Amino acid sequence: MKNRNDNLKRVIVDFKKLTPEILALLVEKYPDGYDDDQIISFRNQHNEIIEAVEVTTADTKYLVKVSTKLAITMENYDEDDYEDFDNDDPDAIQEPDMVDEDSDDDDND
């Protein structure tokens, strides 16, 4: 017996390609953020380990790569911020202001 999800298109989404539609699905599925047990780990075509959380639409299973930017953006989500954008516009999601709590990390200079 085939699972309904067997016929879904599978798409890996990086923060740079995140759309308002996918962000809204993430916030709806994970309103309090995601936990370690909800993160899926797999290897990509370059044999690198990727960590992602999953959301599904009627025809697509999205694996959204986990990052600090994603967590902050989900935490600060307000659907009104995206009302002037199309649901599939990856330029709508802006990188959050990152607060550097680790003074040893000088990569932001």
Side-chain angles (χ1 to χ4, degrees):
M1 182 174 185
K2 279 198 159 205
N3 187 338
R4 167 181 92 76
N5 290 338
D6 289 344
N7 297 325
L8 293 178
K9 180 171 62 170
R10 289 174 172 82
V11 178
I12 299 171
V13 181
D14 188 74
F15 185 86
K16 292 177 277 200
K17 300 292 183 185
L18 191 63
T19 65
E21 175 188 28
I22 298 169
L23 178 59
L25 289 169
L26 284 167
V27 171
E28 183 179 316
K29 184 171 181 178
Y30 308 104
D32 299 320
Y34 45 83
D35 294 324
D36 288 344
D37 62 340
Q38 296 167 316
I39 296 174
I40 299 166
S41 296
F42 60 94
R43 291 192 180 271
N44 66 8
Q45 70 270 21
H46 305 293
N47 208 30
E48 300 165 328
I49 295 176
I50 304 296
E51 294 185 332
V53 288
E54 178 184 301
V55 289
T56 306
T57 63
D59 63 347
T60 306
K61 180 185 290 189
Y62 294 100
L63 293 174
V64 183
K65 291 182 182 180
V66 170
S67 68
T68 303
K69 292 177 190 175
L70 177 63
I72 292 171
T73 301
M74 287 176 63
E75 188 176 302
N76 296 323
Y77 176 76
D78 182 348
E79 68 182 66
D80 294 340
D81 292 343
Y82 306 105
E83 65 186 4
D84 295 334
F85 295 93
D86 292 332
N87 271 342
D88 60 353
D89 185 352
D91 294 330
I93 311 296
Q94 300 298 310
E95 290 198 22
D97 291 332
M98 303 293 286
V99 177
D100 188 9
E101 295 178 6
D102 183 7
S103 60
D104 295 338
D105 183 7
D106 294 330
D107 292 340
N108 293 339
D109 291 331

